[in-house]
């Protein structure tokens, strides 16, 4: 997967499913099987995230990663979520957010 223009959640999870052999008899990703392995996530929520009808939630990304035996950081949306939170003073506090901002701007 190219790092200069990384694929989104749907493409990444499809590739991971195929690589893991979680496929139908026709060789297509077995979304139903994956949804069953994802504790607390139903098939419809997974489907909407895969087709980009909704942004994948942290819960969906972590459950998918756990079900597939990978780290959630494999999903670019997960890394972006963590980056946004690192810059959010309401989430990490003013000091931590400004330190993260300085690092991002190359000042720290």
């Amino acid at each position: 997967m190219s790092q200069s223009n990384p694929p989104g959640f749907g493409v990444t999870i499809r590739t991971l499913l195929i690589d893991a052999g979680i496929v139908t008899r026709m060789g297509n990703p077995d979304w139903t099987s994956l949804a069953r392995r994802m504790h607390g996530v139903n098939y419809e929520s997974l489907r909407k995230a895969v087709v980009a009808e909704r942004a994948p939630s942290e819960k969906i990304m972590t459950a998918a990663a756990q079900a597939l035996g990978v780290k959630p950081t494999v999903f670019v949306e997960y890394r972006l979520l963590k980056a946004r939170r690192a810059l959010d003073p309401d989430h990490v506090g003013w000091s931590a957010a400004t330190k993260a901002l300085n690092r991002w701007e190359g000042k720290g």
Side-chain angles (χ1 to χ4, degrees), residues 8 11-13 23 25 38 43 45 49-51 53 55-56 58 63 70 75-76 86 90 93 96 99 101 106 108:
V11 172
T12 301
I13 198 165
V23 295
R25 291 181 193 172
M38 294 172 61
Y43 172 84
S45 296
V50 168
V51 299
E53 195 172 307
E58 182 176 18
V70 297
F75 304 116
V76 70
D90 292 333
K99 284 179 186 175
L101 178 61

Side-chain angles (χ1 to χ4, degrees), residues 36-88:
R36 285 189 199 119
R37 298 173 188 211
M38 294 172 61
H39 302 291
V41 175
N42 66 43
Y43 172 84
E44 192 60 19
S45 296
L46 173 61
R47 183 196 69 77
K48 288 179 180 185
V50 168
V51 299
E53 195 172 307
R54 285 189 194 153
S57 67
E58 182 176 18
K59 178 180 178 180
I60 288 174
M61 291 184 283
T62 56
Q66 185 175 16
L68 293 167
V70 297
K71 293 181 180 182
T73 53
V74 72
F75 304 116
V76 70
E77 293 89 343
Y78 185 86
R79 297 192 312 271
L80 287 167
L81 173 69
K82 293 299 181 181
R84 281 192 301 272
R85 284 185 180 165
L87 294 166
D88 183 353

Side-chain angles (χ1 to χ4, degrees), residues 12-35:
T12 301
I13 198 165
R14 181 182 191 285
T15 301
L16 290 169
L17 270 174
I18 292 170
D19 290 350
I22 304 172
V23 295
T24 64
R25 291 181 193 172
M26 298 294 290
N28 296 315
D30 190 344
W31 300 108
T32 303
S33 178
L34 177 62

Side-chain angles (χ1 to χ4, degrees), residues 2-13:
S2 170
Q3 290 301 312
S4 62
N5 191 14
F9 178 77
V11 172
T12 301
I13 198 165

